[in-house]
Amino acid sequence: MNTTRPTPPELAQNARQHAAAIPAQLAETMAENARLKTIAITVMLEIAALRERLPPAAGE
């Protein structure tokens, strides 16, 4: 049994082999999901920034 940790080149090779095994449609879906998550995070940050600029609501 090999108890040593894999070296970075071994990890990169493993990642390439795994990536090649992902069907094209799944890869496209994953990329689209990442893009949508990025957009959602950006929108949430923009909303938070706008809320900071609002005057305090009456009663607070």
Side-chain angles (χ1 to χ4, degrees), residues 34-58:
R35 188 180 76 81
L36 293 173
K37 284 180 183 179
T38 301
I39 291 169
I41 290 168
T42 302
V43 168
M44 288 188 286
L45 290 172
E46 289 289 335
I47 290 170
L50 290 171
R51 283 185 174 161
E52 287 181 1
R53 293 174 51 193
L54 286 175

Side-chain angles (χ1 to χ4, degrees), residues 3-42:
T3 58
T4 61
R5 295 178 63 183
T7 62
E10 289 172 338
L11 293 173
Q13 179 64 28
N14 289 344
R16 282 191 295 272
Q17 288 173 345
H18 181 69
I22 297 174
Q25 186 175 3
L26 178 57
E28 288 175 21
T29 301
M30 291 170 68
E32 180 68 4
N33 284 347
R35 188 180 76 81
L36 293 173
K37 284 180 183 179
T38 301
I39 291 169
I41 290 168
T42 302

